[in-house]
Amino acid sequence: MPATLELVCTDDGCELDMFELHYTYDMPDSVGVTDFQCPYCGGVDCLEAVEL
């Protein structure tokens, strides 16, 4: 099963709570939180992975 990454935006001005990224098998293993930006506010340094 390909990886799934749950992210939360920690920017106080952002209304997005949490979102989930579903990868395909073609996604490199080195991809992580720093490779994405918040789809709502566009922030990049405000994303954190949700550890379940």
Side-chain angles (χ1 to χ4, degrees), residues 9-22:
C9 183
T10 60
D11 186 305
D12 291 336
C14 184
E15 298 296 326
L16 185 67
D17 181 26
M18 186 184 106
F19 61 101
E20 199 170 71
L21 299 169
H22 298 269

Side-chain angles (χ1 to χ4, degrees), residues 2-46:
T4 300
L5 183 62
E6 292 85 17
L7 300 174
V8 62
C9 183
T10 60
D11 186 305
D12 291 336
C14 184
E15 298 296 326
L16 185 67
D17 181 26
M18 186 184 106
F19 61 101
E20 199 170 71
L21 299 169
H22 298 269
Y23 297 171
T24 67
Y25 286 107
D26 297 329
M27 188 72 74
D29 291 336
S30 62
V31 171
V33 176
T34 58
D35 296 304
F36 298 98
Q37 67 181 38
C38 177
Y40 188 80
C41 72
V44 291
D45 58 346
C46 53

